[in-house]
Amino acid sequence: MRSLILVIFCSFLFSSLSAQSLYVPRDVKKAYANGTRAMDGRPGKNYWQNHARYDITMTAMPPDRNIKGTESITYVNNSPDTLRNVIVKLFLNIHKPGAPREGGANPNYLTSGVHIDNFAVNGTQTKWRENPGLFTWQPVGLKQPLLPHDSVKFNVDWHYEISLESGREGMIDSTTYFLAYFYPRIAVYDDYAGWDVMNFVDSKEFYSDFNDYTVTLNVPKNYVVWGTGTLQKPESLLQPEVLKRFQQSMTSDDIIRVVTKEDLAAKRVTTQNAVNTWQFRATNIPDMAFGLSDHFNWDATSVVVDDKTQRRASAQAAYNDTAADYHYVAGYARHSLNWLSHNWPGIPYPYEKTTVFQGYAGMEYPMMANDETYADTNFSRFVAEHEIAHTYMPFYMGINETRYGFMDEGFATFFENLIGTADLGKEKADELFKQFRVDYWANDHSQEEDISIITYGSGVHWATEYAQQNPDISIDILDLRTLLPLDYEAIRVAVKQTGKVLLLHEDTLIGG
Ligand SMILES: [Zn+2]
């Protein structure tokens, strides 16, 4: 009888599968129905995105670890919804003791997080209240709801202490800082999930609106600032010879040594005001990040990324002179811009520049990468190419990396393999791919088990219960979920994994 029911169920499943197409989650279905998304992947006729303008002025005076900022945010509600609250993201609260994190935290990574010193909504001073159970985001109620197509202005003063141990951001050394994710920002409110309230737990990355930014950094003399966006008035910041080299690099295919260790020693790099004010601007960009140092070399070159318009993009590197590989990194960055623009994805590099900054992160930011130094220059190039490939995914596409991290890593890894094949040949590129993208997971010894149990339905619970009662046996349980379609690949993996299989099912012996 049960078999008969199963057969009927399976044929029902089969016919409904062939009649419909792939499974569509409810939120996506809703977006199709509302016309904000279209079945072919293009924006629907009712598509919208919210947008903000950030004007940030900040002060960093190394070796003082205090970073202070004052910020205005004009947030525009392009959605058809009335918003009674906003979500403010405070990513650097990941450094607070007790913050949810996917990994552990070294004492040198911990800080007291971001402190909000002043908060105003539409010019009215408002008490900043934090829910102590929340870390990287806080809800903020609006006394006056934000109506569709209206905007609200926030003024925020904040400060934080840069962490001694650098992860995706932090101190590289006592006079080299990498500043990222530092400013309080409004979370994404989108058409299919509403407010993004996912925690930043350090492993999964970010989701951002396309915003406009003006960021002003006050730093001591002899500090150079590299960052996202167009540097305003370089002539007021750089001494004439350095300025000339910097400008030359914008039209030259050669690698120009804009700042060398000799220039740094002779203090002939920046204008000799006690404090220099560096300003960067960018529009329609998901984020801004900056690196600053008083002892980093600066190389720059450029390349035509758009053959039609002859637009060039700048490729730069900022590094400690002792990092031997970094003397080639501007060239690797230039090669990446050129190759990605002309081959895969074959879309002209969408920004004006990229800067690879020596740090510890192996991490991408719009127009920036923060990469370690390596003894093997092939590997330095491999990492630079990967991080620069991320320009397209997630930044240019604006995807939600927190929820769908596989998308941007998938594409960046795919581009990395293609450019690697062009650089080193297929055999070497595939070897690197296997070494860094496959072996670690394929040979994960924590996954090794004594026996595989293939089961479904109640059998899953019996098998789980048995495994718990018999901790001396390491059991791999495969829950088939459906018999039609039957997941042959999962079965093949389960059999191969242990070489021993037990089939467990709840049917009667006869007709089972
Ligand atoms: Zn990546």
Side-chain angles (χ1 to χ4, degrees):
M1 188 59 189
R2 292 187 64 110
S3 305
L4 184 63
I5 291 168
L6 188 71
V7 168
I8 292 167
F9 172 74
C10 288
S11 38
F12 167 75
L13 190 77
F14 189 72
S15 61
S16 62
L17 269 177
S18 51
Q20 293 181 355
S21 46
L22 289 170
Y23 168 75
V24 181
R26 281 186 301 149
D27 51 0
V28 177
K29 256 187 210 156
K30 196 180 79 187
Y32 290 150
N34 290 340
T36 57
R37 309 273 167 147
M39 292 292 278
D40 63 3
R42 278 183 288 192
K45 64 181 195 309
N46 298 326
Y47 184 68
W48 53 267
Q49 285 176 358
N50 285 354
H51 178 80
R53 218 203 112 62
Y54 287 81
D55 198 331
I56 304 167
T57 299
M58 56 197 286
T59 302
M61 295 285 164
D64 182 350
R65 290 168 51 208
N66 239 345
I67 312 287
K68 268 190 284 195
T70 164
E71 168 179 348
S72 84
I73 310 168
T74 306
Y75 183 73
V76 184
N77 179 17
N78 292 322
S79 83
D81 308 328
T82 296
L83 304 177
R84 292 173 199 285
N85 67 293
V86 297
I87 302 295
V88 175
K89 294 271 184 172
L90 301 166
F91 291 131
L92 293 194
N93 280 345
I94 185 78
H95 288 276
K96 272 171 107 164
R101 244 180 245 112
E102 225 147 76
N106 196 301
N108 281 344
Y109 181 81
L110 297 179
T111 71
S112 57
V114 192
H115 301 263
I116 305 295
D117 304 316
N118 238 317
F119 189 76
V121 183
N122 286 330
T124 305
Q125 220 57 31
T126 307
K127 193 163 168 49
W128 175 258
R129 278 179 232 278
E130 280 192 12
N131 176 338
L134 296 172
F135 289 83
T136 57
W137 62 273
Q138 291 286 340
V140 174
L142 296 175
K143 276 202 182 114
Q144 268 195 308
L146 176 58
L147 300 175
H149 313 296
D150 203 352
S151 67
V152 56
K153 189 169 178 182
F154 301 98
N155 286 89
V156 196
D157 295 343
W158 45 265
H159 74 272
Y160 74 92
E161 194 173 50
I162 193 166
S163 61
L164 289 166
E165 184 191 272
S166 152
R168 294 170 189 271
E169 41 65 49
M171 256 174 74
I172 308 300
D173 61 47
S174 63
T175 58
T176 305
Y177 290 1
F178 196 81
L179 311 174
Y181 324 128
F182 52 85
Y183 59 94
R185 69 188 78 190
I186 308 300
V188 176
Y189 181 81
D190 69 23
D191 62 307
Y192 71 97
W195 285 112
D196 164 34
V197 291
M198 290 182 80
N199 283 317
F200 170 50
V201 292
D202 205 29
S203 54
K204 287 150 199 110
E205 295 166 13
F206 304 92
Y207 185 31
S208 310
D209 282 320
F210 291 98
N211 297 316
D212 298 341
Y213 291 88
T214 300
V215 181
T216 308
L217 299 101
N218 295 311
V219 301
K221 66 181 168 192
N222 302 321
Y223 276 78
V224 174
V225 183
W226 296 266
T228 316
T230 311
L231 175 61
Q232 306 294 303
K233 297 199 187 119
E235 65 280 3
S236 69
L237 297 160
L238 301 172
Q239 291 189 30
E241 180 57 28
V242 170
L243 176 69
K244 200 179 88 194
R245 293 180 210 150
F246 173 61
Q247 286 167 337
Q248 231 170 23
S249 76
M250 296 296 163
T251 53
S252 173
D253 285 3
D254 298 333
I255 292 164
I256 311 274
R257 310 290 175 188
V258 178
V259 171
T260 62
K261 72 170 194 248
E262 290 76 25
D263 298 322
L264 291 158
K267 305 211 179 310
R268 43 176 198 239
V269 180
T270 73
T271 307
Q272 293 297 296
N273 301 320
V275 173
N276 284 325
T277 299
W278 295 67
Q279 190 176 76
F280 295 82
R281 288 190 182 167
T283 54
N284 278 315
I285 198 143
D287 205 353
M288 299 283 271
F290 303 91
L292 54 101
S293 179
D294 66 347
H295 60 277
F296 266 22
N297 289 356
W298 183 6
D299 295 347
T301 177
S302 61
V303 62
V304 172
V305 290
D306 190 339
D307 295 333
K308 266 197 209 129
T309 62
Q310 288 295 299
R311 178 171 66 83
R312 300 180 78 88
S314 164
Q316 307 180 27
Y319 59 97
N320 203 323
D321 194 67
T322 53
D325 59 333
Y326 254 93
H327 292 253
Y328 303 95
V329 163
Y332 299 156
R334 179 187 179 283
H335 167 66
S336 306
L337 300 188
N338 188 21
W339 198 92
L340 294 163
S341 298
H342 293 104
N343 297 280
W344 288 97
I347 293 164
Y349 180 74
Y351 300 140
E352 66 183 57
K353 68 172 165 186
T354 187
T355 304
V356 185
F357 191 91
Q358 188 191 340
Y360 300 101
M363 180 66 200
E364 72 280 7
Y365 317 77
M367 302 191 207
M368 289 285 273
N370 170 334
D371 290 350
E372 272 185 79
T373 170
Y374 299 99
D376 174 3
T377 49
N378 272 340
F379 195 69
S380 312
R381 179 169 59 183
F382 174 83
V383 177
E385 287 168 346
H386 176 95
E387 305 311 341
I388 293 169
H390 273 301
T391 300
Y392 297 92
M393 289 266 184
F395 303 133
Y396 185 56
M397 298 300 293
I399 58 177
N400 182 344
E401 286 182 277
T402 320
R403 200 176 283 272
Y404 308 116
F406 68 93
M407 283 195 201
D408 72 295
E409 283 314 327
F411 273 93
T413 305
F414 176 62
F415 295 146
E416 154 206 300
N417 182 249
L418 291 168
I419 189 171
T421 302
D423 294 345
L424 304 163
K426 188 164 166 45
E427 198 183 332
K428 180 79 184 144
D430 285 353
E431 187 192 306
L432 275 172
F433 184 78
K434 209 168 159 287
Q435 190 179 345
F436 296 105
R437 308 300 183 197
V438 178
D439 285 355
Y440 175 78
W441 287 271
N443 298 324
D444 180 355
H445 292 282
S446 71
Q447 299 294 315
E448 288 194 353
E449 275 127 347
D450 301 323
I451 187 165
S452 301
I453 298 181
I454 299 178
T455 183
Y456 58 93
S458 305
V460 177
H461 301 286
W462 301 334
T464 309
E465 208 176 310
Y466 183 84
Q468 281 162 356
Q469 286 163 2
N470 296 276
D472 52 320
I473 311 169
S474 175
I475 299 174
D476 165 46
I477 300 168
L478 171 61
D479 176 3
L480 283 175
R481 305 285 173 121
T482 71
L483 297 181
L484 194 70
L486 189 59
D487 193 343
Y488 286 104
E489 181 54 23
I491 294 170
R492 195 187 62 77
V493 170
V495 174
K496 202 175 163 209
Q497 187 141 308
T498 60
K500 289 187 210 77
V501 165
L502 181 75
L503 293 175
L504 176 64
H505 68 124
E506 56 177 303
D507 227 318
T508 52
L509 200 55
I510 297 164

